[in-house]
Amino acid sequence: MEPKNFFKRNCNVYHIVGMLLGAAFAAIYWAKAGHLSDNVLKNSPILMPLWGVLVGYITFDFIFNAKNRKNESENE
């Protein structure tokens, strides 16, 4: 698989928005409550936004793929 096609398919506007929102919400959560925790993930100002990026990507990927499947089923 060519890298251009891979990124075109797996990193579109929906994914980027999801990653940005996930990182923003994770950073806000860390600032409000996470830094007081004993949990390693919640206590780290680096790991928490990375976790938010991952969760945001996966969430918006599900939304994007569901939207594409709905459009494909309507076209058939």
Side-chain angles (χ1 to χ4, degrees):
M1 180 178 248
E2 292 181 32
K4 184 178 181 182
N5 291 337
F6 177 79
F7 285 113
K8 190 177 201 181
R9 213 175 116 205
N10 294 316
C11 192
N12 56 28
V13 174
Y14 292 107
H15 295 119
I16 294 170
V17 169
M19 290 187 289
L20 292 174
L21 285 175
F25 285 131
I28 291 169
Y29 174 78
W30 178 84
K32 295 288 184 184
H35 65 280
L36 302 174
S37 174
D38 290 337
N39 188 339
V40 174
L41 178 64
K42 291 180 184 177
N43 196 19
S44 173
I46 302 298
L47 291 177
M48 196 63 191
L50 288 176
W51 181 254
V53 166
L54 180 66
V55 170
Y57 177 87
I58 291 171
T59 303
F60 276 66
D61 187 54
F62 285 143
I63 293 168
F64 179 70
N65 286 333
K67 182 180 170 186
N68 282 345
R69 273 185 259 143
K70 182 179 177 184
N71 289 340
E72 288 175 2
S73 66
E74 288 176 356
N75 291 337
E76 291 179 354

